[in-house]
Amino acid sequence: MKTKRDERRWEWTVAIACVACALGSPAHAQGAPAAQAAPPAQTDTDDTPTKATEDDVYVPAAPSSTEQGATRMGESFAPSDRRQWIRDTRRKAFEDTKWDIQVRSFYLDREKYDGSGSEAWALGGSLGFKTGYFRDRFAFGATGYTSQELYGPEDRDGTLLLAPGQEGYTVLGEVYGEFLINEDSRLTLGRKGIDTPYINRNDARMTPNTFQAVLFQGLYGGDEGRPEWRVGGGYFDKIKERNSEDFVSMAKDAGAPDGTERGVYALGANYKSGDFSFGAINYYSNDIINIFYAEGKYGIPMGEKTKLTFALQYSDQTSVGDELLRGTDFSSDQWGAKAELAHGGAMFTAAYTDAGGDTNMQNPWSGYPGFTSVQVEDFNRDGESAWMLRAGYTFPWIKGASVYALYVDGSDPQSPTEYAKDEYDVNAQWAVPDGFLKGLLFRMRYAHVRQQGPVETTLDDFRLMVYYDPPNF
Protein backbone atom coordinates (compact mmCIF):
# COMPACT_ATOMS: atom_id res chain seq x y z
CA MET A 1 0.00 0.00 0.00
CA LYS A 2 1.42 3.38 -1.04
CA THR A 3 2.08 5.91 1.69
CA LYS A 4 1.94 9.69 1.20
CA ARG A 5 5.73 9.70 1.19
CA ASP A 6 5.79 7.10 -1.62
CA GLU A 7 3.23 9.08 -3.58
CA ARG A 8 5.15 12.34 -3.18
CA ARG A 9 8.45 10.62 -4.11
CA TRP A 10 6.80 9.29 -7.30
CA GLU A 11 5.51 12.77 -8.22
CA TRP A 12 8.91 14.40 -7.80
CA THR A 13 10.63 11.56 -9.70
CA VAL A 14 8.32 12.12 -12.69
CA ALA A 15 8.84 15.89 -12.56
CA ILE A 16 12.63 15.62 -12.31
CA ALA A 17 12.70 13.23 -15.25
CA CYS A 18 10.58 15.62 -17.30
CA VAL A 19 12.82 18.55 -16.42
CA ALA A 20 15.93 16.56 -17.28
CA CYS A 21 14.51 15.68 -20.69
CA ALA A 22 13.57 19.28 -21.41
CA LEU A 23 16.94 20.61 -20.29
CA GLY A 24 18.66 18.14 -22.56
CA SER A 25 16.69 19.21 -25.61
CA PRO A 26 18.39 20.98 -28.51
CA ALA A 27 16.21 24.07 -28.02
CA HIS A 28 17.45 24.52 -24.48
CA ALA A 29 21.04 23.84 -25.36
CA GLN A 30 20.98 26.50 -28.06
CA GLY A 31 19.39 29.02 -25.75
CA ALA A 32 16.16 29.25 -27.73
CA PRO A 33 13.66 31.60 -26.10
CA ALA A 34 10.94 29.87 -24.11
CA ALA A 35 7.32 30.98 -24.06
CA GLN A 36 5.30 31.24 -20.88
CA ALA A 37 3.91 27.87 -19.83
CA ALA A 38 0.70 29.01 -18.21
CA PRO A 39 -1.36 32.13 -17.76
CA PRO A 40 -0.11 34.59 -15.14
CA ALA A 41 -1.60 34.45 -11.68
CA GLN A 42 -5.28 35.07 -11.84
CA THR A 43 -6.33 38.56 -10.76
CA ASP A 44 -9.57 40.45 -11.14
CA THR A 45 -10.25 40.33 -14.86
CA ASP A 46 -10.30 44.10 -15.11
CA ASP A 47 -6.89 44.23 -13.48
CA THR A 48 -5.17 41.43 -15.40
CA PRO A 49 -1.53 42.35 -16.08
CA THR A 50 -1.36 43.74 -19.58
CA LYS A 51 0.77 41.75 -22.03
CA ALA A 52 2.59 43.12 -25.03
CA THR A 53 1.48 41.87 -28.44
CA GLU A 54 3.77 39.91 -30.75
CA ASP A 55 4.90 43.26 -32.18
CA ASP A 56 5.51 44.53 -28.63
CA VAL A 57 2.73 47.11 -28.92
CA TYR A 58 1.02 47.96 -25.64
CA VAL A 59 -2.68 46.99 -25.53
CA PRO A 60 -4.66 48.01 -22.40
CA ALA A 61 -6.61 45.27 -20.62
CA ALA A 62 -10.36 45.34 -21.25
CA PRO A 63 -12.37 46.46 -18.20
CA SER A 64 -14.42 43.86 -16.34
CA SER A 65 -15.88 43.39 -12.87
CA THR A 66 -15.14 39.71 -12.17
CA GLU A 67 -13.86 39.27 -8.62
CA GLN A 68 -10.44 37.74 -7.92
CA GLY A 69 -10.73 33.97 -7.50
CA ALA A 70 -14.02 33.70 -9.46
CA THR A 71 -14.53 32.19 -12.92
CA ARG A 72 -17.29 33.11 -15.36
CA MET A 73 -18.84 30.54 -17.72
CA GLY A 74 -17.28 32.23 -20.76
CA GLU A 75 -13.80 31.69 -19.27
CA SER A 76 -14.29 27.94 -18.66
CA PHE A 77 -12.48 24.99 -20.23
CA ALA A 78 -10.10 26.85 -22.56
CA PRO A 79 -7.62 29.74 -22.91
CA SER A 80 -8.97 33.27 -23.13
CA ASP A 81 -9.16 33.23 -26.94
CA ARG A 82 -9.00 30.82 -29.87
CA ARG A 83 -5.71 32.30 -31.11
CA GLN A 84 -3.98 31.09 -27.93
CA TRP A 85 -5.73 27.70 -28.23
CA ILE A 86 -4.37 27.21 -31.76
CA ARG A 87 -0.85 28.25 -30.71
CA ASP A 88 -0.95 25.64 -27.95
CA THR A 89 -1.97 22.85 -30.33
CA ARG A 90 0.58 23.60 -33.05
CA ARG A 91 3.72 23.79 -30.95
CA LYS A 92 6.41 21.15 -31.41
CA ALA A 93 7.55 19.01 -28.51
CA PHE A 94 10.89 19.80 -26.83
CA GLU A 95 11.67 22.68 -29.19
CA ASP A 96 8.52 24.46 -28.05
CA THR A 97 8.58 23.58 -24.37
CA LYS A 98 7.18 26.52 -22.47
CA TRP A 99 8.58 27.46 -19.08
CA ASP A 100 6.73 29.50 -16.51
CA ILE A 101 8.24 31.07 -13.42
CA GLN A 102 6.55 33.51 -11.09
CA VAL A 103 7.77 35.02 -7.82
CA ARG A 104 5.19 36.17 -5.28
CA SER A 105 5.27 38.17 -2.09
CA PHE A 106 1.98 38.53 -0.21
CA TYR A 107 1.10 40.31 3.04
CA LEU A 108 -2.34 39.92 4.64
CA ASP A 109 -3.66 41.42 7.89
CA ARG A 110 -7.26 40.75 8.95
CA GLU A 111 -8.97 42.02 12.12
CA LYS A 112 -12.07 39.88 12.66
CA TYR A 113 -15.54 40.53 14.04
CA ASP A 114 -14.70 39.03 17.45
CA GLY A 115 -11.54 41.11 17.92
CA SER A 116 -9.11 38.31 16.97
CA GLY A 117 -6.83 38.60 13.97
CA SER A 118 -4.89 36.80 11.24
CA GLU A 119 -1.61 38.09 9.87
CA ALA A 120 1.24 36.76 7.73
CA TRP A 121 3.81 37.77 5.14
CA ALA A 122 4.96 35.09 2.71
CA LEU A 123 7.47 34.75 -0.12
CA GLY A 124 7.26 32.05 -2.77
CA GLY A 125 5.90 31.38 -6.22
CA SER A 126 5.87 28.70 -8.88
CA LEU A 127 8.08 27.00 -11.47
CA GLY A 128 6.61 24.88 -14.21
CA PHE A 129 6.78 23.78 -17.82
CA LYS A 130 4.68 22.27 -20.57
CA THR A 131 6.14 20.53 -23.58
CA GLY A 132 4.92 20.83 -27.13
CA TYR A 133 3.08 17.91 -28.71
CA PHE A 134 5.01 14.72 -29.48
CA ARG A 135 3.94 13.41 -32.90
CA ASP A 136 1.31 16.18 -32.79
CA ARG A 137 -0.64 14.17 -30.21
CA PHE A 138 0.81 14.16 -26.67
CA ALA A 139 2.26 16.78 -24.32
CA PHE A 140 3.07 16.74 -20.62
CA GLY A 141 3.70 19.32 -17.94
CA ALA A 142 4.43 19.89 -14.27
CA THR A 143 4.40 22.82 -11.85
CA GLY A 144 5.85 23.14 -8.36
CA TYR A 145 4.64 25.73 -5.86
CA THR A 146 6.09 27.08 -2.64
CA SER A 147 5.14 29.56 0.08
CA GLN A 148 7.58 30.36 2.89
CA GLU A 149 7.15 32.44 6.01
CA LEU A 150 8.72 35.89 6.22
CA TYR A 151 6.53 36.93 9.14
CA GLY A 152 3.78 34.94 10.89
CA PRO A 153 2.88 35.29 14.59
CA GLU A 154 1.61 31.96 15.92
CA ASP A 155 -1.38 33.61 17.60
CA ARG A 156 -2.49 35.22 14.30
CA ASP A 157 -2.81 32.13 12.08
CA GLY A 158 -5.50 31.69 9.42
CA THR A 159 -4.54 33.90 6.47
CA LEU A 160 -4.25 30.87 4.10
CA LEU A 161 -0.93 32.27 2.88
CA LEU A 162 0.87 29.53 4.84
CA ALA A 163 -0.01 26.04 6.04
CA PRO A 164 -1.74 25.75 9.44
CA GLY A 165 0.58 26.78 12.27
CA GLN A 166 2.15 29.48 10.07
CA GLU A 167 4.29 26.80 8.41
CA GLY A 168 5.83 27.13 4.95
CA TYR A 169 5.12 24.46 2.36
CA THR A 170 6.31 23.20 -1.04
CA VAL A 171 4.20 21.00 -3.29
CA LEU A 172 4.23 19.53 -6.78
CA GLY A 173 0.77 20.78 -7.66
CA GLU A 174 0.66 19.79 -11.33
CA VAL A 175 1.82 16.62 -13.11
CA TYR A 176 -0.27 15.84 -16.17
CA GLY A 177 -0.44 14.52 -19.69
CA GLU A 178 -2.44 16.14 -22.46
CA PHE A 179 -3.68 14.21 -25.52
CA LEU A 180 -4.61 16.16 -28.63
CA ILE A 181 -7.62 14.46 -30.22
CA ASN A 182 -7.72 17.06 -33.00
CA GLU A 183 -6.99 20.77 -33.31
CA ASP A 184 -10.20 21.60 -31.44
CA SER A 185 -10.33 18.86 -28.77
CA ARG A 186 -7.99 17.63 -26.06
CA LEU A 187 -7.99 15.16 -23.17
CA THR A 188 -6.07 15.90 -19.94
CA LEU A 189 -5.13 13.27 -17.36
CA GLY A 190 -3.33 13.92 -14.07
CA ARG A 191 -3.02 16.77 -11.58
CA LYS A 192 -3.67 20.22 -12.96
CA GLY A 193 -5.29 23.60 -12.37
CA ILE A 194 -8.76 23.85 -13.93
CA ASP A 195 -11.13 26.82 -14.24
CA THR A 196 -14.94 26.51 -14.13
CA PRO A 197 -17.46 28.40 -11.94
CA TYR A 198 -17.58 25.88 -9.03
CA ILE A 199 -14.29 24.01 -9.57
CA ASN A 200 -11.40 26.40 -10.16
CA ARG A 201 -7.96 27.52 -9.03
CA ASN A 202 -9.29 30.25 -6.68
CA ASP A 203 -5.86 31.80 -7.08
CA ALA A 204 -6.24 34.63 -4.55
CA ARG A 205 -3.44 33.65 -2.15
CA MET A 206 0.12 32.34 -2.63
CA THR A 207 -0.73 29.17 -4.57
CA PRO A 208 -3.87 27.93 -6.39
CA ASN A 209 -6.14 24.93 -6.00
CA THR A 210 -5.19 22.06 -8.30
CA PHE A 211 -7.08 18.86 -9.04
CA GLN A 212 -6.51 15.20 -9.83
CA ALA A 213 -8.81 14.63 -12.78
CA VAL A 214 -9.48 13.29 -16.24
CA LEU A 215 -10.97 16.05 -18.38
CA PHE A 216 -12.16 16.54 -21.95
CA GLN A 217 -12.03 20.11 -23.32
CA GLY A 218 -13.13 21.47 -26.66
CA LEU A 219 -13.10 24.88 -28.34
CA TYR A 220 -15.00 25.04 -31.63
CA GLY A 221 -15.47 28.02 -33.95
CA GLY A 222 -14.76 31.50 -32.65
CA ASP A 223 -12.53 32.63 -35.50
CA GLU A 224 -13.40 34.88 -38.45
CA GLY A 225 -16.54 36.05 -36.68
CA ARG A 226 -18.05 32.57 -36.32
CA PRO A 227 -19.98 31.56 -33.17
CA GLU A 228 -17.86 29.88 -30.49
CA TRP A 229 -18.59 26.74 -28.48
CA ARG A 230 -16.62 25.83 -25.35
CA VAL A 231 -17.39 22.36 -24.00
CA GLY A 232 -15.92 20.34 -21.18
CA GLY A 233 -16.57 17.30 -19.05
CA GLY A 234 -14.74 14.92 -16.80
CA TYR A 235 -14.20 13.41 -13.40
CA PHE A 236 -12.46 15.21 -10.53
CA ASP A 237 -11.14 12.73 -7.97
CA LYS A 238 -9.04 14.84 -5.58
CA ILE A 239 -8.20 18.44 -4.74
CA LYS A 240 -5.13 20.17 -3.31
CA GLU A 241 -6.37 23.23 -1.43
CA ARG A 242 -4.51 26.53 -1.82
CA ASN A 243 -2.37 26.26 1.33
CA SER A 244 -1.93 22.48 1.47
CA GLU A 245 0.63 19.89 0.35
CA ASP A 246 -1.88 17.03 0.17
CA PHE A 247 -4.47 15.93 -2.36
CA VAL A 248 -7.67 14.79 -0.63
CA SER A 249 -11.01 13.40 -1.76
CA MET A 250 -13.39 15.96 -3.24
CA ALA A 251 -16.04 14.69 -0.80
CA LYS A 252 -13.81 15.18 2.23
CA ASP A 253 -12.93 18.69 1.08
CA ALA A 254 -16.65 19.47 0.77
CA GLY A 255 -17.12 18.52 4.44
CA ALA A 256 -18.19 14.86 4.30
CA PRO A 257 -17.17 12.57 7.23
CA ASP A 258 -13.64 11.18 7.35
CA GLY A 259 -13.19 8.13 5.16
CA THR A 260 -15.76 9.28 2.56
CA GLU A 261 -14.22 8.87 -0.90
CA ARG A 262 -16.29 10.46 -3.65
CA GLY A 263 -15.31 12.43 -6.70
CA VAL A 264 -17.22 14.91 -8.84
CA TYR A 265 -18.55 14.43 -12.38
CA ALA A 266 -18.80 17.69 -14.33
CA LEU A 267 -20.30 18.46 -17.74
CA GLY A 268 -20.94 21.85 -19.30
CA ALA A 269 -20.87 24.08 -22.35
CA ASN A 270 -20.83 27.77 -23.25
CA TYR A 271 -22.06 29.34 -26.50
CA LYS A 272 -20.96 32.78 -27.68
CA SER A 273 -22.00 34.70 -30.77
CA GLY A 274 -21.04 38.34 -31.03
CA ASP A 275 -22.09 40.09 -27.84
CA PHE A 276 -24.36 37.26 -26.68
CA SER A 277 -23.25 34.27 -24.63
CA PHE A 278 -24.98 31.57 -22.59
CA GLY A 279 -23.63 28.57 -20.73
CA ALA A 280 -24.51 25.94 -18.16
CA ILE A 281 -22.62 23.32 -16.18
CA ASN A 282 -23.59 20.54 -13.77
CA TYR A 283 -21.48 19.03 -10.98
CA TYR A 284 -22.54 15.69 -9.47
CA SER A 285 -20.87 14.02 -6.49
CA ASN A 286 -22.55 10.72 -5.62
CA ASP A 287 -24.11 10.73 -2.11
CA ILE A 288 -22.75 14.25 -1.54
CA ILE A 289 -24.17 17.13 -3.63
CA ASN A 290 -25.43 18.16 -7.05
CA ILE A 291 -24.72 21.73 -8.24
CA PHE A 292 -26.23 23.26 -11.37
CA TYR A 293 -25.07 26.65 -12.64
CA ALA A 294 -26.17 28.74 -15.64
CA GLU A 295 -25.08 32.17 -16.83
CA GLY A 296 -26.05 34.39 -19.74
CA LYS A 297 -24.75 37.73 -20.99
CA TYR A 298 -25.69 40.20 -23.70
CA GLY A 299 -23.79 43.33 -24.70
CA ILE A 300 -25.18 46.36 -26.52
CA PRO A 301 -22.59 48.62 -28.23
CA MET A 302 -23.56 52.26 -27.73
CA GLY A 303 -20.69 53.92 -29.53
CA GLU A 304 -17.06 53.43 -30.44
CA LYS A 305 -15.95 53.42 -26.79
CA THR A 306 -19.19 52.67 -24.94
CA LYS A 307 -20.93 49.37 -24.23
CA LEU A 308 -23.83 48.34 -21.99
CA THR A 309 -23.87 44.69 -20.85
CA PHE A 310 -26.57 42.75 -19.00
CA ALA A 311 -25.96 39.38 -17.30
CA LEU A 312 -28.07 36.81 -15.43
CA GLN A 313 -26.97 33.82 -13.33
CA TYR A 314 -28.63 30.97 -11.46
CA SER A 315 -27.25 28.34 -9.06
CA ASP A 316 -29.11 25.34 -7.61
CA GLN A 317 -27.66 22.96 -4.99
CA THR A 318 -29.25 19.78 -3.58
CA SER A 319 -28.23 16.75 -1.55
CA VAL A 320 -28.18 13.42 -3.42
CA GLY A 321 -28.07 9.67 -2.72
CA ASP A 322 -27.24 8.74 0.86
CA GLU A 323 -26.84 12.43 1.79
CA LEU A 324 -23.47 11.89 3.46
CA LEU A 325 -22.53 15.57 3.48
CA ARG A 326 -24.92 16.58 6.27
CA GLY A 327 -26.78 13.39 7.09
CA THR A 328 -30.05 14.94 5.89
CA ASP A 329 -31.53 16.40 2.76
CA PHE A 330 -30.96 20.04 1.82
CA SER A 331 -31.68 22.39 -1.04
CA SER A 332 -30.56 25.94 -1.81
CA ASP A 333 -30.47 28.30 -4.76
CA GLN A 334 -29.36 31.79 -5.73
CA TRP A 335 -30.09 34.00 -8.73
CA GLY A 336 -28.39 37.20 -9.73
CA ALA A 337 -28.52 40.04 -12.25
CA LYS A 338 -25.82 42.49 -13.29
CA ALA A 339 -25.54 45.54 -15.53
CA GLU A 340 -22.21 47.03 -16.65
CA LEU A 341 -21.57 50.27 -18.49
CA ALA A 342 -18.07 50.51 -20.00
CA HIS A 343 -16.83 53.75 -21.50
CA GLY A 344 -13.17 53.93 -22.49
CA GLY A 345 -11.18 52.90 -19.45
CA ALA A 346 -14.10 53.36 -17.03
CA MET A 347 -16.62 50.74 -15.93
CA PHE A 348 -19.69 51.16 -13.73
CA THR A 349 -21.43 48.06 -12.37
CA ALA A 350 -24.68 47.39 -10.52
CA ALA A 351 -25.61 43.87 -9.37
CA TYR A 352 -28.25 42.10 -7.29
CA THR A 353 -28.40 38.55 -5.88
CA ASP A 354 -30.96 36.63 -3.82
CA ALA A 355 -30.39 33.29 -2.04
CA GLY A 356 -33.07 30.91 -0.76
CA GLY A 357 -33.86 27.32 0.16
CA ASP A 358 -33.17 25.75 3.53
CA THR A 359 -29.41 26.23 3.94
CA ASN A 360 -26.54 28.52 2.92
CA MET A 361 -25.04 28.17 -0.54
CA GLN A 362 -21.74 26.23 -0.67
CA ASN A 363 -18.51 26.54 -2.66
CA PRO A 364 -16.07 23.92 -1.32
CA TRP A 365 -13.83 23.68 -4.40
CA SER A 366 -13.44 27.24 -5.70
CA GLY A 367 -14.06 30.93 -5.37
CA TYR A 368 -17.80 31.62 -5.36
CA PRO A 369 -19.23 32.79 -8.75
CA GLY A 370 -21.99 35.05 -7.34
CA PHE A 371 -22.17 38.57 -8.79
CA THR A 372 -22.05 40.08 -5.27
CA SER A 373 -19.24 37.83 -3.98
CA VAL A 374 -16.37 40.20 -3.18
CA GLN A 375 -13.08 40.36 -1.23
CA VAL A 376 -14.36 39.03 2.12
CA GLU A 377 -18.05 38.11 1.99
CA ASP A 378 -19.98 36.00 -0.54
CA PHE A 379 -23.47 37.26 0.43
CA ASN A 380 -24.95 33.82 -0.25
CA ARG A 381 -26.52 32.84 3.08
CA ASP A 382 -30.04 31.37 3.16
CA GLY A 383 -32.57 34.16 2.75
CA GLU A 384 -29.93 36.81 2.09
CA SER A 385 -30.31 39.31 -0.73
CA ALA A 386 -27.61 41.83 -1.68
CA TRP A 387 -27.00 44.65 -4.11
CA MET A 388 -23.66 46.03 -5.27
CA LEU A 389 -22.38 49.24 -6.83
CA ARG A 390 -18.88 49.24 -8.32
CA ALA A 391 -16.76 51.74 -10.26
CA GLY A 392 -13.41 51.00 -11.89
CA TYR A 393 -10.96 52.94 -14.03
CA THR A 394 -7.90 52.02 -16.09
CA PHE A 395 -5.55 55.01 -16.41
CA PRO A 396 -4.58 55.76 -20.04
CA TRP A 397 -1.59 57.90 -19.01
CA ILE A 398 -0.10 55.29 -16.65
CA LYS A 399 0.22 52.08 -18.62
CA GLY A 400 -1.09 49.09 -16.64
CA ALA A 401 -2.45 51.14 -13.69
CA SER A 402 -6.05 50.73 -12.54
CA VAL A 403 -8.30 51.24 -9.52
CA TYR A 404 -11.79 50.24 -8.41
CA ALA A 405 -14.08 50.72 -5.43
CA LEU A 406 -17.31 48.93 -4.55
CA TYR A 407 -20.08 48.75 -1.98
CA VAL A 408 -22.28 45.73 -1.20
CA ASP A 409 -25.33 45.93 1.04
CA GLY A 410 -26.70 42.61 2.33
CA SER A 411 -29.97 41.85 4.10
CA ASP A 412 -30.65 39.76 7.20
CA PRO A 413 -30.40 36.03 6.40
CA GLN A 414 -32.98 33.46 7.48
CA SER A 415 -31.06 32.28 10.55
CA PRO A 416 -32.00 34.26 13.71
CA THR A 417 -28.40 34.03 14.95
CA GLU A 418 -26.90 35.70 11.85
CA TYR A 419 -27.15 39.35 10.89
CA ALA A 420 -27.01 41.68 7.90
CA LYS A 421 -23.62 42.77 6.57
CA ASP A 422 -22.31 45.42 4.22
CA GLU A 423 -18.84 45.63 2.68
CA TYR A 424 -16.69 48.41 1.22
CA ASP A 425 -13.68 47.45 -0.97
CA VAL A 426 -10.88 49.46 -2.58
CA ASN A 427 -8.32 48.01 -5.00
CA ALA A 428 -5.35 49.67 -6.72
CA GLN A 429 -2.78 47.98 -8.92
CA TRP A 430 -0.03 48.60 -11.43
CA ALA A 431 0.98 45.87 -13.87
CA VAL A 432 4.17 47.16 -15.48
CA PRO A 433 3.90 46.44 -19.25
CA ASP A 434 7.33 47.59 -20.41
CA GLY A 435 10.65 49.07 -19.34
CA PHE A 436 13.13 47.61 -16.86
CA LEU A 437 10.27 46.75 -14.42
CA LYS A 438 8.34 44.79 -17.05
CA GLY A 439 6.69 41.73 -15.50
CA LEU A 440 6.12 43.30 -12.06
CA LEU A 441 2.64 43.58 -10.57
CA PHE A 442 1.98 45.72 -7.50
CA ARG A 443 -1.44 45.40 -5.90
CA MET A 444 -3.15 46.75 -2.78
CA ARG A 445 -6.59 45.65 -1.56
CA TYR A 446 -8.58 46.86 1.44
CA ALA A 447 -12.00 45.73 2.67
CA HIS A 448 -14.14 46.97 5.54
CA VAL A 449 -17.16 44.86 6.58
CA ARG A 450 -19.82 46.01 9.03
CA GLN A 451 -22.04 43.40 10.69
CA GLN A 452 -25.28 44.49 12.30
CA GLY A 453 -26.86 42.82 15.31
CA PRO A 454 -27.44 43.44 19.01
CA VAL A 455 -23.88 44.82 19.01
CA GLU A 456 -22.42 46.16 15.76
CA THR A 457 -19.07 44.55 14.86
CA THR A 458 -16.58 45.15 12.04
CA LEU A 459 -13.91 43.33 10.05
CA ASP A 460 -10.93 44.94 8.28
CA ASP A 461 -8.88 43.11 5.66
CA PHE A 462 -5.69 44.58 4.15
CA ARG A 463 -3.63 42.85 1.44
CA LEU A 464 -0.43 43.86 -0.31
CA MET A 465 0.90 41.79 -3.21
CA VAL A 466 3.97 41.91 -5.43
CA TYR A 467 4.16 39.40 -8.31
CA TYR A 468 7.00 39.08 -10.80
CA ASP A 469 6.88 37.23 -14.10
CA PRO A 470 10.31 37.36 -15.77
CA PRO A 471 9.79 38.71 -19.33
CA ASN A 472 11.90 36.00 -20.96
CA PHE A 473 9.72 33.14 -19.67
Side-chain angles (χ1 to χ4, degrees):
M1 181 177 180
K2 286 188 176 180
T3 65
K4 289 183 178 179
R5 178 178 296 178
D6 294 332
E7 186 179 16
R8 194 168 289 122
R9 182 183 298 117
W10 177 84
E11 294 172 352
W12 283 106
T13 300
V14 172
I16 291 170
C18 294
V19 172
C21 290
L23 290 176
S25 68
H28 187 278
Q30 296 171 13
Q36 191 171 349
Q42 180 177 338
T43 62
D44 291 351
T45 306
D46 62 331
D47 299 315
T48 301
T50 306
K51 296 291 185 181
T53 65
E54 291 180 356
D55 297 323
D56 205 29
V57 176
Y58 172 77
V59 178
S64 176
S65 60
T66 302
E67 180 65 16
Q68 182 182 19
T71 300
R72 303 264 68 90
M73 274 301 305
E75 301 163 355
S76 301
F77 305 122
S80 58
D81 56 55
R82 183 171 181 80
R83 185 179 180 184
Q84 179 62 43
W85 175 280
I86 296 298
R87 279 201 298 263
D88 284 348
T89 59
R90 288 179 176 174
R91 292 182 295 108
K92 298 177 183 178
F94 285 132
E95 291 183 4
D96 292 324
T97 294
K98 298 199 304 183
W99 291 86
D100 177 44
I101 181 171
Q102 184 183 73
V103 180
R104 294 189 179 189
S105 180
F106 200 129
Y107 173 77
L108 190 152
D109 183 13
R110 175 177 290 186
E111 301 299 328
K112 303 178 183 178
Y113 302 110
D114 59 4
S116 64
S118 297
E119 184 180 13
W121 181 20
L123 177 67
S126 61
L127 173 63
F129 72 92
K130 180 185 176 183
T131 69
Y133 287 88
F134 295 89
R135 296 184 178 274
D136 297 323
R137 281 292 177 265
F138 174 74
F140 59 89
T143 306
Y145 302 94
T146 188
S147 179
Q148 300 301 320
E149 176 196 350
L150 293 178
Y151 176 73
E154 292 184 5
D155 61 345
R156 293 177 66 82
D157 196 5
T159 62
L160 301 182
L161 297 180
L162 300 165
Q166 302 282 47
E167 296 291 332
Y169 62 91
T170 299
V171 58
L172 187 61
E174 293 187 325
V175 181
Y176 62 92
E178 190 171 277
F179 299 87
L180 189 63
I181 300 172
N182 55 45
E183 192 174 70
D184 301 315
S185 311
R186 60 186 66 171
L187 184 69
T188 302
L189 177 65
R191 294 179 169 180
K192 194 174 187 298
I194 302 294
D195 286 315
T196 72
Y198 275 96
I199 292 181
N200 62 50
R201 303 170 201 257
N202 195 12
D203 194 8
R205 292 295 192 275
M206 285 294 290
T207 62
N209 294 339
T210 56
F211 304 88
Q212 181 171 292
V214 54
L215 180 69
F216 170 83
Q217 298 165 275
L219 179 60
Y220 308 98
D223 53 356
E224 299 179 354
R226 295 187 301 162
E228 174 191 276
W229 278 97
R230 292 167 177 254
V231 300
Y235 178 72
F236 297 82
D237 182 48
K238 294 182 178 182
I239 178 176
K240 180 205 72 67
E241 280 282 6
R242 292 177 291 177
N243 65 329
S244 174
E245 296 179 333
D246 300 317
F247 283 80
V248 300
S249 165
M250 298 289 282
K252 179 180 178 181
D253 196 66
D258 289 343
T260 305
E261 300 287 335
R262 301 287 192 281
V264 179
Y265 296 92
L267 180 64
N270 191 83
Y271 172 80
K272 179 181 179 182
S273 179
D275 293 313
F276 169 79
S277 69
F278 178 79
I281 187 168
N282 195 75
Y283 307 86
Y284 180 84
S285 183
N286 188 36
D287 298 324
I288 306 298
I289 192 172
N290 187 85
I291 301 175
F292 172 78
Y293 178 78
E295 180 183 315
K297 183 170 67 172
Y298 182 64
I300 305 172
M302 303 181 67
E304 184 178 345
K305 297 183 178 180
T306 306
K307 186 182 216 181
L308 180 63
T309 302
F310 297 98
L312 294 172
Q313 65 175 181
Y314 177 72
S315 290
D316 180 81
Q317 303 180 348
T318 59
S319 58
V320 294
D322 292 337
E323 299 171 338
L324 298 179
L325 189 59
R326 297 191 174 182
T328 184
D329 68 310
F330 63 84
S331 177
S332 57
D333 61 82
Q334 184 184 55
W335 69 271
K338 182 170 69 171
E340 295 177 339
L341 178 63
H343 177 73
M347 171 166 281
F348 304 94
T349 305
Y352 177 83
T353 57
D354 184 75
D358 53 27
T359 189
N360 297 342
M361 298 291 287
Q362 302 173 63
N363 54 303
W365 311 302
S366 69
Y368 191 70
F371 289 155
T372 58
S373 176
V374 287
Q375 182 169 328
V376 175
E377 296 294 340
D378 290 323
F379 295 95
N380 61 355
R381 296 173 293 176
D382 180 27
E384 183 176 32
S385 60
W387 59 270
M388 178 187 76
L389 295 176
R390 184 184 190 273
Y393 187 68
T394 300
F395 297 98
W397 58 87
I398 306 176
K399 293 181 179 180
S402 61
V403 297
Y404 73 77
L406 63 83
Y407 169 71
V408 183
D409 183 88
S411 70
D412 285 309
Q414 188 69 30
S415 172
T417 61
E418 296 183 293
Y419 306 99
K421 298 177 182 179
D422 53 51
E423 179 171 343
Y424 305 79
D425 292 358
V426 177
N427 182 103
Q429 86 169 35
W430 182 35
V432 185
D434 49 33
F436 73 98
L437 293 179
K438 182 178 180 180
L440 271 175
L441 168 69
F442 301 94
R443 189 175 199 190
M444 183 277 294
R445 306 190 78 190
Y446 173 72
H448 175 78
V449 188
R450 181 173 60 94
Q451 179 175 255
Q452 301 176 14
V455 178
E456 182 178 298
T457 56
T458 61
L459 178 151
D460 291 282
D461 183 286
F462 176 75
R463 307 178 187 187
L464 185 62
M465 290 154 271
V466 180
Y467 296 173
Y468 179 59
D469 292 273
N472 294 328
F473 283 85

